[in-house]
């Protein structure tokens, strides 16, 4: 059984692509071989910066001959049909066999596909693989049209067995396959011939090439940690960097150098980021002081001076880099100590999103919101507002401009330097969290308030302009933001009615954007075509903004007001626009919450007729958007809770209850219900409840009345009936007071006490009694079950 | 060509050695382009000549200006005016990497002692509508060159592909000469009767230009010039191919491209003056790119650009 060795030798392949490319080579080659009937025992892919290598063991020497039988037309079928069949099968008529079948005599063709030698198949599959290789980015070079990640120089393709080895002949745009390769670019540049994988890897080793990326990574890490350890230090772990560095060398040589003392005062994160991003150095830490004191670099060669020149060069480059970082740090500290005013001012020139305004406008919104949220999370409103105002100031700093990944962290350092309260400084860093599902959630109250405000502003903003995530597209990471809010609320046990915040945020944003766009419109005393053009432009702008689009397209008559077009020259569209045009002023005058401004405003002046209509429409649209956002939250929450083992129907039963925008309450309820439903009492009570509910619903449908009158124990005849009356009376009070105290477990416990009386009732009592008074009383009793249990959760949607 | 032995001793010796090395490899030794540009790539010998199928091999020094990088001559590495060494060969030869390494050896970098690495760096010039794949070349962790295989310029696929090498001369020379601050670098031979450092020549100009770039340049005038360059470029390109005076076909791709270069540099100046907001930035870049694209369109209508009657 022959073995196959392939090496694709090129100019330097980007480190981040090597491993994947090795896997792609393996997959595409082996899939192609298998498809052509060439099975194999094993395959493995390896890579270095200059080569992709694939070794396939135990290949078949040739693909097996395949015989296929095809059923053709009937004997005596038209010639055309028979000829078509012959063409398809590649046979002549005398090669067909006539066979009698229950449906008459039919032609059969027996087609033999002869096996092909492995080399033919390999050459074909390899050419297809090379020509269609899935590089993230590929290029042409010279005069050719072949595409590869960087110029491809040679192809080694060798089939070997006990008898020896032979080159699989292949010519791709002038690159002819062969049996030779080259060693390390500088240490062993000459070409050499190989006979098979073992020979190949042994010779490469002698030619200073470590073929296996895992082996290179392992060697680098071993040597780095040893050198650090020998000096009482430790290497800061960085798996991503290790993988990258192993992809930059064929012959790794680890060198440890010192960081100039003048830079040791820089924040460790800055040292680490600068060294990793610019130089691909590992940081070496002194475990006693936790300071980064040295660096590790990985060279691609041995030298006569044991790397002294290389290390000196690297050290010099690092000093220049860190001098930059120090320059940024010192400049930034100066601005910070002056109160960061230049930074916050600069943010008014930075666009956050073209429909949502500048970073400054966004920060103002977040600050106002943080102030309002603060009491619900136990934060001081002044501190929360102050923190929100400076939390993004570092986006204008030189350090963050250079290293965007340090945003937030630098904010903390600079806020500290500015002498701001520690909670404020902490919030600058923590308010971005949690970013991922495994990220820690901030717990300090001020941080929680700003983190919530930041995320809620983003969510309500994008909701207002109708930029919601769809399918796999979520360019503004809104799902992540919603999950962040969910975790912030739950892990801090915060009780916040989100819906009202949604309404206020979306409503105020819509009002603000309206003002921004239309502020001049009514005060320029324009008329005629000029006014018409302005109105047209304003309408165009507003219709890009989801909320306004709906308001302007709404049917105003729904609000009980017919069109009141005071100026016959205006079109419907213009009249609508003028109706909304001064709502920002009306809102400002009302000095109340958004949700109540339409109610609280005195619209009695007849000129206000259109405005009142528009204001009410606006509030309704905003409430609809807010409700939609809340249901987006509920969807995220369901995913989140399902991962924690809470059934979706249990969650739905709780979402159906009032107060479902207080996620902490909602989850408490859901957890209690989940526990309850796992108990015997729970499942049995649910049966009883559903039975009661079904009988009641059917009776109500049949009788056309609602049995909500409340039963009376004096009409009860059976002992089980009387017992149920008593049990319900008892548990009703207990359940209400438990619910008032938000003690859902206790409420479920009291509900559990109903199980036995309900079971007993259904066992011995016939609801549909012949006596209509008794029947009505029993139905009213069932209603009491529905009503009492219904306070706890909507049990109708719970399965089981 | 004789190989100069030993380590170079001055900035200019490094330039001279690069010149003689690339001359020995067959490149035409061109001179700098006589306009303000941000990088050697802007020289028409690179931008325009990378288009079309006519073979090309040229090398030159290009003084380059990046107003935002001005540091009043105080930063050891950053200058608003600096030199690039640029090589463009079309089609890219198969041994371009070896040729390049040879140039490093020529300026005294001993491959036996140093660690040379090709690290992924895809090049893109939004203002030129150009991109290519290649590397930044590291010597002992320092970026000493950009190495790019041009794939597209001015929106045109490059066929054949040009290989472009760009050396940041000051940084490279500082490394080779072992100097820590650019202003301390010997410009001519330190043993010359009048030895001069880089600082003797450029410290004062760095200060002057930094002040002008950051605080003094008249932004209204600049904005006007930007627009004038745009208009002029469009006007030039709107002329019919046939020159009414000579009756010859003369597509004025180069004069139009000069206006594109001008607009690009004015944009950089406006940027340094801090009058271009983040949102406007993209729009300005788009306007320069539109000019570059039109110039590329024109160049491929010329003989040098491969146009045949």
């Amino acid at each position: 059984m022959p073995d196959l060795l392939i090496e694709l030798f090129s100019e330097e392949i980007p480190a981040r692509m090597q491993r994947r490319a090795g896997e792609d080579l393996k997959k595409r080659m082996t899939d192609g071989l298998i498809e052509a009937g060439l099975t194999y025992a094993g395959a493995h892919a390896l890579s270095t910066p200059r080569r992709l290598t694939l070794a396939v063991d135990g290949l078949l020497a040739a693909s097996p001959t395949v015989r296929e039988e095809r059923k053709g037309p009937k004997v005596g079928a038209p010639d055309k049909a028979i000829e078509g069949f012959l063409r398809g099968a590649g046979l002549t008529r005398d090669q067909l066999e006539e066979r009698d079948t229950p449906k008459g005599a039919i032609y059969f063709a027996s087609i033999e596909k002869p096996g092909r030698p492995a080399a033919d198949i390999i050459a074909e599959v390899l050419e297809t693989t090379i020509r269609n290789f899935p590089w993230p980015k590929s290029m042409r070079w010279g005069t050719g049209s072949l595409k590869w990640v960087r110029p491809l120089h040679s192809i080694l393709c060798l089939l070997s067995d006990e008898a020896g080895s032979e080159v699989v002949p292949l010519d791709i745009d002038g690159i002819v396959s062969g049996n030779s390769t080259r060693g390390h670019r500088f240490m062993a540049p000459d070409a050499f011939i190989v006979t098979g994988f073992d020979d190949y890897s042994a010779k490469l080793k002698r030619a200073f090439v470590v073929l296996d990326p895992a082996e290179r990574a392992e060697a680098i890490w071993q040597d780095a940690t040893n050198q650090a350890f020998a000096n009482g230090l430790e290497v800061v772990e960085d798996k991503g960097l290790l993988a990258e560095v192993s992809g930059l060398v064929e012959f790794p040589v680890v060198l440890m150098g010192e960081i100039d003392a003048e830079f040791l005062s820089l924040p460790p994160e800055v040292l680490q980021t600068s060294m990793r991003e610019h130089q691909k150095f590992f940081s070496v830490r002194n475990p006693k002081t936790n300071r980064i004191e040295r660096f590790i670099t990985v060279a691609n060669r041995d030298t006569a001076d044991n790397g002294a020149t290389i290390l000196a060069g690297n050290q010099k480059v690092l000093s220049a880099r860190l001098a930059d970082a120090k320059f940024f740090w010192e400049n930034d500290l100066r601005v910070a100590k002056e109160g960061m005013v230049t930074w916050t001012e600069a943010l008014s020139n930075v666009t956050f999103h073209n429909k949502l305004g500048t970073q400054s406008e966004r920060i103002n919104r977040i600050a106002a919101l943080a102030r309002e949220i603060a009491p619900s999370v136990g934060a001081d409103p002044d501190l929360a507002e102050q923190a929100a105002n400076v939390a993004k100031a570092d986006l204008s700093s030189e350090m963050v401009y250079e290293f965007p990944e340090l945003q937030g962290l630098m904010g903390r350092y600079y806020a500290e330097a500015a002498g701001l309260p520690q909670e404020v400084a902490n919030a600058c860093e923590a308010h971005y969290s949690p970013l991922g599902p495994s990220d820690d959630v901030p717990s300090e109250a001020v941080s929680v308030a700003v983190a919530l405000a930041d995320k809620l502003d983003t969510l309500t903003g994008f909701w207002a302009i109708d930029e919601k995530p769809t399918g796999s597209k979520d360019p503004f990471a809104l799902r992540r933001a919603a999950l962040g809010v969910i975790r912030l609320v739950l892990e801090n046990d915060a009780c916040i009615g989100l819906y009202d915040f949604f309404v206020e945020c979306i409503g105020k944003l819509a009002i603000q954007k309206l003002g921004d766009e239309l502020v001049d419109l009514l005060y320029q005393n324009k008329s005629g075509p000029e006014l018409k053009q302005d109105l047209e432009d304003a309408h165009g702008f507003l219709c890009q903004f989801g909320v306004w689009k709906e308001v302007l397209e709404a049917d105003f008559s729904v609000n009980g007001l017919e069109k009141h077009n005071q100026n016959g020259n205006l079109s419907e569209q213009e009249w609508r626009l003028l109706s909304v045009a001064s709502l920002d002023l009306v809102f400002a005058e009302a000095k109340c919450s958004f949700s109540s401004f339409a109610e609280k405003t005195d619209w009695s002046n007849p000129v206000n007729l259109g405005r009142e209509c528009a204001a009410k429409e606006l509030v309704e649209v905003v409430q609809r958007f807010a409700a939609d956002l809340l249901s987006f939250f509920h969807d995220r929450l369901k995913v989140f809770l399902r991962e924690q083992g809470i059934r979706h129907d249990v969650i739905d039963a709780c979402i159906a209850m009032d107060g479902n925008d207080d996620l902490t309450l909602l989850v408490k309820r859901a957890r209690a219900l989940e526990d309850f439903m796992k108990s015997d009492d729970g499942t049995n009570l649910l049966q009883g409840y559903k039975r009661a509910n079904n009988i009641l619903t059917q009776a109500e449908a049949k009788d056309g009345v609602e049995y909500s009158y409340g039963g009376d124990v004096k009409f009860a005849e059976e002992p089980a009936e009387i017992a149920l009356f008593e049990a319900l009376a008892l548990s009703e009070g207990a359940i209400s007071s438990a619910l008032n105290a938000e003690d859902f477990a206790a409420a479920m416990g009291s509900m559990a006490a109903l199980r036995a009386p309900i079971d007993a009732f259904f066992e011995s009592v016939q609801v549909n009694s012949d006596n209509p008074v008794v029947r009505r009383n029993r139905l009213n009793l069932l209603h009491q079950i529905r009503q009492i249990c219904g306070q706890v959760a909507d049990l109708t949607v719970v399965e089981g | 060509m004789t190989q100069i032995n030993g380590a170079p001793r001055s900035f200019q010796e490094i330039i001279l050695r690069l010149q003689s090395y690339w001359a020995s490899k067959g490149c035409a030794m061109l001179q700098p382009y006589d306009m303000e540009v941000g990088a050697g790539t802007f020289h028409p010998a690179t931008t325009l000549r990378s288009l079309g199928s006519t073979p090309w091999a040229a090398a030159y020094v290009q003084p380059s200006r990046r107003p935002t990088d001005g540091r009043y001559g105080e930063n050891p590495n950053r200058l608003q005016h600096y030199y690039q060494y640029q090589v463009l060969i079309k089609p890219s030869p198969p041994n371009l990497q070896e040729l390049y390494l040879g140039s490093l050896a020529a300026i005294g970098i001993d491959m036996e002692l140093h660690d040379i690495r090709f690290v992924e760096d895809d090049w893109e010039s939004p203002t030129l509508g150009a991109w290519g794949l290649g590397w930044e070349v590291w010597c002992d962790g320092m970026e000493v060159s950009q190495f790019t295989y041009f794939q597209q310029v001015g929106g045109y696929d490059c066929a054949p592909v040009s290989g472009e090498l760009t050396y940041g001369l000051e940084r490279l020379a500082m490394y080779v000469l072992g100097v820590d601050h650019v202003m301390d670098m010997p410009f001519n031979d330190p043993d010359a009767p009048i030895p001069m450092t880089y600082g003797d020549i450029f410290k004062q100009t760095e200060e002057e230009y930094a002040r002008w770039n950051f605080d003094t340049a008249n932004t209204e005038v600049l904005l006007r010039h930007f627009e004038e360059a745009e208009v002029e470029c469009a006007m030039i390109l709107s002329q019919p191919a046939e020159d009414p005076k000579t009756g010859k076909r003369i597509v004025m791709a180069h004069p139009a491209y000069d206006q594109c270069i001008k607009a690009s540099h004015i944009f950089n100046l406006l940027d340094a003056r801090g009058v271009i907001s983040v949102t406007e930035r993209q729009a300005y870049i788009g306007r320069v790119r539109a000019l570059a694209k039109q110039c590329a369109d024109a160049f491929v209508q010329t003989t040098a650009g491969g146009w045949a009657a």
Side-chain angles (χ1 to χ4, degrees):
Chain A
M1 290 232 162
D3 299 330
L4 171 65
L5 172 64
I6 294 171
E7 183 203 63
L8 305 174
F9 184 83
S10 67
E11 296 177 15
E12 277 76 357
I13 306 165
R16 64 189 171 95
M17 300 178 188
Q18 291 162 20
R19 187 170 293 257
R20 177 66 199 269
E23 290 309 311
D24 284 337
L25 176 63
K26 180 168 118 184
K27 177 150 188 6
R28 295 206 164 207
M29 281 305 298
T30 52
D31 283 359
L33 295 176
I34 293 284
E35 197 176 317
L38 218 52
T39 59
Y40 62 97
H44 63 291
L46 298 160
S47 59
T48 79
R50 293 212 291 167
R51 56 198 100 222
L52 297 182
T53 300
L54 175 67
V56 184
D57 314 324
L59 261 186
L60 288 181
S63 60
T65 299
V66 185
R67 211 174 299 275
E68 184 197 347
E69 187 164 88
R70 267 193 221 172
K71 189 176 161 191
K74 280 184 181 163
V75 175
D79 277 354
K80 252 192 178 158
I82 296 172
E83 276 159 24
F85 178 64
L86 287 170
R87 238 190 338 271
L91 298 176
T92 54
R93 190 175 288 215
D94 58 333
Q95 289 172 303
L96 294 181
E97 184 192 334
E98 285 178 33
R99 233 184 266 168
D100 284 324
T101 73
K103 289 179 178 171
I106 285 179
Y107 285 118
F108 278 84
S110 174
I111 307 165
E112 189 178 289
K113 277 197 191 154
R116 298 166 62 208
D120 289 3
I121 295 173
I122 291 165
E124 213 173 270
V125 176
L126 182 55
E127 171 154 5
T128 310
T129 300
I130 290 176
R131 290 197 187 279
N132 302 293
F133 205 78
W135 291 110
K137 267 188 195 169
S138 57
M139 53 163 274
R140 295 169 290 111
W141 60 96
T143 50
S145 59
L146 182 65
K147 286 192 158 194
W148 200 244
V149 64
R150 293 293 182 275
L152 179 63
H153 280 277
S154 65
I155 298 170
L156 182 156
C157 189
L158 209 55
L159 208 47
S160 51
D161 57 20
E162 299 80 18
S165 64
E166 63 175 273
V167 171
V168 175
L170 189 68
D171 178 344
I172 298 181
D173 289 15
I175 306 171
V176 180
S177 59
N179 59 356
S180 72
T181 186
R182 290 170 187 277
H184 189 277
R185 183 187 278 286
F186 300 104
M187 299 176 80
D190 293 336
F192 52 86
I193 286 171
V194 302
T195 57
F197 181 75
D198 292 341
D199 184 44
Y200 169 77
S201 54
K203 281 180 177 157
L204 275 182
K205 190 164 247 172
R206 284 203 294 279
F208 304 99
V209 174
V210 182
L211 187 57
D212 185 347
E215 195 182 326
R216 292 196 300 274
E218 177 63 22
I220 293 168
W221 187 248
Q222 275 301 329
D223 205 8
T225 44
N226 285 345
Q227 290 192 33
F229 182 75
N231 288 279
L233 303 170
E234 61 189 19
V235 186
V236 178
E237 199 173 316
D238 189 337
K239 292 221 163 72
L241 181 62
L242 183 59
E244 185 180 5
V245 168
S246 338
L248 287 172
V249 293
E250 293 200 310
F251 187 75
V253 174
V254 172
L255 303 167
M256 183 163 73
E258 306 219 356
I259 299 170
D260 217 67
E262 65 167 312
F263 304 120
L264 293 179
S265 60
L266 283 168
E269 297 89 347
V270 170
L271 286 172
Q272 219 172 313
T273 307
S274 175
M275 295 203 293
R276 182 186 59 224
E277 294 306 309
H278 290 313
Q279 301 304 132
K280 309 195 195 298
F281 289 172
F282 290 92
S283 295
V284 180
R285 179 167 51 203
N286 183 338
K288 291 189 200 93
T289 60
N290 247 343
R291 287 204 311 192
I292 309 285
E293 293 179 352
R294 298 196 188 191
F295 67 87
I296 295 262
T297 181
V298 182
N300 188 30
R301 66 162 306 151
D302 259 344
T303 62
D305 64 354
N306 290 319
T309 307
I310 296 173
L311 193 58
N314 275 286
Q315 216 142 358
K316 190 177 247 183
V317 181
L318 179 63
S319 291
R321 286 290 189 189
L322 293 182
D324 266 356
K326 197 172 169 221
F327 176 76
F328 301 146
W329 170 244
E330 283 166 0
N331 277 353
D332 285 352
L333 281 182
R334 198 164 49 239
V335 180
K337 284 174 185 159
E338 286 160 5
M340 306 195 257
V341 187
T342 39
W343 290 342
T344 42
E345 277 170 3
L347 288 175
S348 62
N349 292 322
V350 180
T351 307
F352 168 60
H353 182 282
N354 61 2
K355 291 182 204 165
L356 297 175
T358 65
Q359 287 284 17
S360 282
E361 292 174 306
R362 176 181 173 222
I363 288 165
N364 291 340
R365 293 195 299 266
I366 296 173
L369 185 55
R371 186 174 186 89
E372 284 175 49
I373 291 177
S376 326
V377 297
D380 178 296
D382 290 336
L383 282 182
E385 184 180 359
Q386 187 187 14
N389 274 321
V390 296
K392 297 191 188 293
D394 66 340
L395 294 180
S396 306
S397 70
E398 295 185 36
M399 191 70 86
V400 173
Y401 181 81
E402 189 70 13
F403 300 113
E405 64 269 49
L406 292 180
Q407 71 173 19
L409 180 83
M410 296 322 297
R412 173 163 65 76
Y413 280 116
Y414 296 146
E416 283 168 355
L420 299 178
Q422 193 59 48
E423 296 110 295
V424 171
N426 292 346
C428 291
E429 181 176 12
H431 82 281
Y432 289 105
S433 301
L435 284 173
S438 55
D439 222 17
D440 282 344
V441 170
S443 58
E444 202 170 24
V446 173
S447 296
V448 174
V450 181
L452 280 172
D454 186 16
K455 291 167 179 64
L456 289 176
D457 176 71
T458 300
L459 284 157
T460 52
F462 285 103
W463 236 257
I465 60 171
D466 221 359
E467 289 274 7
K468 305 173 204 173
T470 50
S472 60
K473 286 207 187 83
D474 184 8
F476 306 107
L478 300 181
R479 292 195 181 100
R480 192 173 77 184
L483 183 62
V485 171
I486 289 170
R487 291 188 56 210
L488 277 159
V489 166
L490 295 183
E491 291 180 32
N492 287 295
D493 225 3
C495 289
I496 300 175
L498 291 176
Y499 176 77
D500 287 346
F501 280 109
F502 293 168
V503 171
E504 292 304 310
C505 289
I506 296 175
K508 285 175 185 162
L509 178 67
I511 289 277
Q512 182 211 328
K513 285 291 143 195
L514 176 76
D516 289 353
E517 185 57 20
L518 302 185
V519 68
D520 298 332
L521 196 62
L522 295 183
Y523 301 97
Q524 291 181 341
N525 296 319
K526 284 185 188 169
S527 59
E530 265 188 285
L531 176 64
K532 281 198 179 293
Q533 186 56 49
D534 276 359
L535 289 172
E536 186 66 34
D537 293 348
H539 187 266
F541 171 84
L542 287 179
C543 280
Q544 291 173 21
F545 198 97
V547 169
W548 285 117
K549 182 172 194 299
E550 298 217 0
V551 171
L552 290 171
E553 287 173 359
D555 178 4
F556 281 11
S557 64
V558 173
N559 275 321
L561 289 157
E562 294 306 319
K563 172 176 159 182
H564 177 78
N565 192 341
Q566 17 164 312
N567 185 338
N569 299 329
L570 296 178
S571 69
E572 170 83 13
Q573 177 183 309
E574 287 159 353
W575 174 76
R576 279 161 183 268
L577 198 65
L578 283 178
S579 299
V580 304
S582 53
L583 288 183
D584 56 318
L585 300 177
V586 175
F587 176 67
E589 215 157 276
K591 292 196 177 62
C592 64
S593 70
F594 171 79
S595 57
S596 56
F597 98 99
E599 303 299 324
K600 292 206 171 152
T601 298
D602 174 15
W603 303 102
S604 54
N605 186 333
V607 302
N608 275 330
L609 205 50
R611 277 184 202 144
E612 178 179 7
C613 185
K616 287 186 172 159
E617 188 62 42
L618 173 63
V619 173
E620 277 175 31
V621 169
V622 167
Q623 285 171 342
R624 199 160 66 236
F625 277 56
D628 183 57
L629 179 54
L630 183 61
S631 80
F632 175 73
F633 263 85
H634 286 153
D635 287 344
R636 303 327 301 161
L637 183 69
K638 278 192 221 174
V639 174
F640 178 73
L641 291 180
R642 218 172 300 164
E643 281 161 10
Q644 303 192 355
I646 299 187
R647 280 156 46 182
H648 64 95
D649 53 325
V650 164
I651 305 168
D652 282 334
C654 299
I655 287 176
M657 306 304 291
D658 278 351
N660 63 0
D661 64 335
D662 178 340
L663 304 181
T664 301
L665 193 70
L666 175 55
V667 170
K668 263 196 209 168
R669 195 191 289 268
R671 287 194 201 285
L673 185 58
E674 173 78 18
D675 289 346
F676 183 56
M677 284 302 148
K678 280 183 189 146
S679 69
D680 255 11
D681 280 346
T683 39
N684 285 316
L685 178 90
L686 182 65
Q687 296 312 320
Y689 169 86
K690 287 201 164 172
R691 194 165 168 190
N693 192 49
N694 285 341
I695 294 171
L696 185 58
T697 308
Q698 280 167 19
E700 284 179 339
K702 186 175 151 221
D703 304 346
V705 290
E706 201 178 303
Y707 290 99
S708 55
Y709 190 67
D712 193 332
V713 69
K714 73 178 182 220
F715 299 116
E717 295 178 335
E718 310 277 339
E721 197 178 358
I722 296 167
L724 181 55
F725 265 110
E726 284 165 356
L728 281 171
L730 212 64
S731 61
E732 182 168 23
I735 289 176
S736 313
S737 58
L739 286 177
N740 281 338
E742 293 176 9
D743 186 347
F744 295 103
M748 308 275 171
S750 303
M751 209 160 68
L754 291 173
R755 174 210 164 172
I758 291 176
D759 285 356
F761 173 81
F762 281 122
E763 226 157 85
S764 56
V765 179
Q766 181 80 26
V767 175
N768 285 320
S769 158
D770 295 334
N771 178 343
V773 177
V774 172
R775 176 176 175 266
R776 191 162 56 240
N777 193 49
R778 284 178 184 163
L779 286 168
N780 278 318
L781 175 61
L782 294 188
H783 179 268
Q784 257 176 287
I785 297 178
R786 178 204 266 174
Q787 186 254 324
I788 291 173
C789 295
Q791 295 173 30
V792 178
D794 180 1
L795 296 180
T796 57
V797 302
V798 180
E799 288 162 14
Chain B
M1 186 66 55
T2 51
Q3 178 69 46
I4 312 158
N5 290 317
R9 306 188 63 210
S10 66
F11 185 57
Q12 69 189 29
E13 187 180 347
I14 288 171
I15 296 174
L16 291 170
R17 287 197 191 188
L18 284 173
Q19 291 279 57
S20 69
Y21 176 81
W22 286 107
S24 78
K25 299 301 173 190
C27 287
M29 295 292 104
L30 300 186
Q31 300 305 318
Y33 201 56
D34 58 344
M35 290 186 69
E36 299 135 312
V37 294
T41 307
F42 275 87
H43 196 309
T46 291
T47 330
L48 296 182
R49 294 291 174 156
S50 62
L51 292 166
S53 58
T54 317
W56 182 258
Y60 53 90
V61 175
Q62 180 62 51
S64 306
R65 302 197 188 207
R66 288 193 184 164
T68 46
D69 277 354
R71 295 292 184 272
Y72 302 84
E74 279 160 17
N75 185 290
N77 307 295
R78 258 182 230 269
L79 300 160
Q80 57 83 39
H81 173 281
Y82 64 104
Y83 290 103
Q84 283 193 342
Y85 195 84
Q86 175 89 0
V87 180
L88 189 86
I89 306 181
K90 178 174 75 173
S92 64
N95 62 340
L96 190 56
Q97 280 187 312
E98 281 68 36
L99 287 174
Y100 167 74
L101 292 171
S103 75
L104 293 187
I107 58 172
I109 294 178
D110 180 357
M111 301 292 152
E112 294 299 309
L113 283 180
H114 292 277
D115 180 34
I116 308 289
R117 231 91 68 69
F118 292 86
V119 180
E120 177 190 15
D121 188 32
D122 300 342
W123 172 81
E124 193 184 357
S125 168
T127 41
L128 288 176
W131 68 277
L133 298 191
W135 311 273
E136 46 183 52
V137 185
W138 285 16
C139 175
D140 303 336
M142 186 176 70
E143 184 194 340
V144 289
S145 303
Q146 284 281 136
F147 190 130
T148 308
Y149 292 102
F150 276 8
Q151 302 295 301
Q152 247 188 15
V153 172
Y156 284 90
D157 278 347
C158 297
V161 168
S162 300
E164 183 209 43
L165 308 173
T166 304
Y167 307 70
L169 281 173
E170 283 81 356
R171 193 143 42 139
L172 178 62
M174 281 166 69
Y175 189 68
V176 171
L177 299 173
V179 178
D180 289 332
H181 198 296
V182 64
M183 294 299 168
D184 299 334
M185 179 161 62
F187 200 99
N188 62 354
D189 194 311
D191 295 333
I194 306 175
M196 287 189 283
T197 65
Y198 197 93
D200 292 333
I201 300 168
F202 287 118
K203 172 81 167 95
Q204 181 181 327
T205 54
E206 279 299 305
E207 284 176 353
E208 293 177 7
Y209 277 104
R211 183 172 175 196
W212 182 69
N213 293 337
F214 288 130
D215 303 317
T216 317
N218 183 330
T219 56
E220 276 170 37
V221 170
L222 289 173
L223 281 165
R224 200 174 68 231
H225 285 176
F226 183 91
E227 274 155 24
E228 285 167 359
E230 235 177 357
V231 171
E232 182 71 8
C233 184
M235 187 277 285
I236 297 171
L237 294 176
S238 69
Q239 302 303 311
E242 193 186 295
D243 172 27
K245 197 166 86 192
T246 62
K248 285 186 180 174
R249 180 189 160 82
I250 305 179
V251 175
M252 294 172 284
H254 285 80
Y257 181 64
D258 284 352
Q259 299 303 318
C260 171
I261 293 179
K262 213 172 259 183
S264 171
H265 179 63
I266 293 169
F267 162 70
N268 288 338
L269 284 170
L270 286 166
D271 200 23
R273 286 287 276 117
V275 295
I276 293 182
S277 74
V278 179
T279 33
E280 288 173 320
R281 235 186 114 74
Q282 285 315 310
Y284 273 99
I285 290 173
R287 284 162 76 177
V288 178
R289 182 171 51 238
L291 298 183
K293 172 84 183 74
Q294 289 157 31
C295 295
D297 292 345
F299 183 74
V300 297
Q301 297 296 313
T302 69
T303 315
W307 187 83

